[in-house]
Structures are given as structure tokens and as C-alpha cells.
Amino acid sequence: MPRPTAAQFSFGSATVVFSALAMLLLFRAESGVAVAAVGTAALVLGLLVAMALPSRARTAPRVTPVPSSVRAHRTIEDIEIAAAQRRRMSEHSLHR
């Protein structure tokens, strides 16, 4: 199960607070049972709002495969550039 994001926490919490306040004022709840019902309804509403927000995806971006006909036509310059990049990758970072 993915962890909730900060946006989900904040929107869910704000929904709980404001919906509980609105329902308490709207229904003029004074008994303990009514206050408990309003609190439960506010918590459920906050949970629904938090789950409705999209969570961030932790998947790698899609890479389209290069057709083999394109890969087969490498020029000498491409090969030299790739070799130079491999040599630089093996060097220590202080030698750059």
C-alpha cells in the first residue's frame, strides 16, 4: 500500500475540520450521540477526500524501443562519441 502524500494529509485534515464545524453548526448538535455522529461523518468524508486525490507515481517513465533498423545505422562519429563517453565514465570525478 503506498504511503499518503503531504497533499492527501492536508486536504483530508482540512476536510475533517471544516466539515465537522459546518455540520455541528448546521445541525445544532448538542447531545453526545449527535456530536459523535457528526465527528464520524466528518472523518469518513475526510478519508474519502484524501483517497480521491491522486498519489504520485513511482514508476519509471516509459521508454519506447528503438527499431533495429535505426540502431544498425551507426556512423563512425557515433561510435567515437560513445567510446569517449565510456572513457569519461570510468575516470574519477576529480580528474575532470
Side-chain angles (χ1 to χ4, degrees):
M1 187 169 148
R3 301 179 82 182
T5 62
Q8 288 174 320
F9 274 126
S10 60
F11 278 97
S13 299
T15 302
V16 169
V17 170
F18 290 122
S19 63
L21 181 64
M23 284 189 279
L24 286 172
L25 291 174
L26 182 66
F27 298 131
R28 295 183 183 155
E30 294 177 0
S31 68
V33 175
V35 171
V38 166
T40 303
L43 285 174
V44 169
L45 186 62
L47 182 65
L48 289 174
V49 167
M51 290 296 118
L53 287 178
S55 62
R56 61 180 159 209
R58 294 182 184 242
T59 59
R62 291 186 181 180
V63 178
T64 57
V66 178
S68 60
S69 61
V70 175
R71 280 186 274 151
H73 299 292
R74 294 180 63 185
T75 62
I76 300 291
E77 292 85 17
D78 292 338
I79 295 170
E80 290 173 352
I81 290 170
Q85 288 174 344
R86 279 194 298 273
R87 281 193 300 268
R88 284 201 65 151
M89 292 295 276
S90 65
E91 292 178 3
H92 194 276
S93 62
L94 295 177
H95 294 254
R96 290 187 183 169

